Amino acid sequence: MKKFKTRKKILECPETKRLLFEFLQEMGLLNDEEVEIKITHFIERKMKQCKNEGI
């Protein structure tokens, strides 16, 4: 994986979403649709946090 300078760049990276998806799938607690919703919500929430912090 590449080196990133900010959390925003990590969140924007498509590989991050894929890795989160695989991780939650392996946990086996949710179906694919629920996993996708949780990941999308998580990334949106963290992007807002970055924006509020001025990153």
Side-chain angles (χ1 to χ4, degrees), residues 1-2 4 6-24 35 39-40 42-43 46-47:
M1 194 186 268
K2 299 186 270 181
F4 298 98
T6 66
R7 286 180 289 153
K8 184 178 178 185
K9 293 292 182 191
I10 293 169
L11 293 168
E12 291 172 340
C13 177
E15 188 176 355
T16 299
K17 189 172 184 176
R18 185 183 55 77
L19 290 171
L20 286 168
F21 188 83
E22 287 179 22
F23 174 74
L24 289 175
V35 169
I39 291 171
T40 302
F42 172 80
I43 290 175
K46 290 297 180 178
M47 289 297 282

Side-chain angles (χ1 to χ4, degrees), residues 15-38:
E15 188 176 355
T16 299
K17 189 172 184 176
R18 185 183 55 77
L19 290 171
L20 286 168
F21 188 83
E22 287 179 22
F23 174 74
L24 289 175
Q25 261 186 331
E26 287 179 14
M27 297 298 288
L29 304 173
L30 307 166
N31 66 36
D32 288 354
E33 187 175 314
E34 290 171 326
V35 169
E36 186 71 29
I37 290 168
K38 286 194 177 290

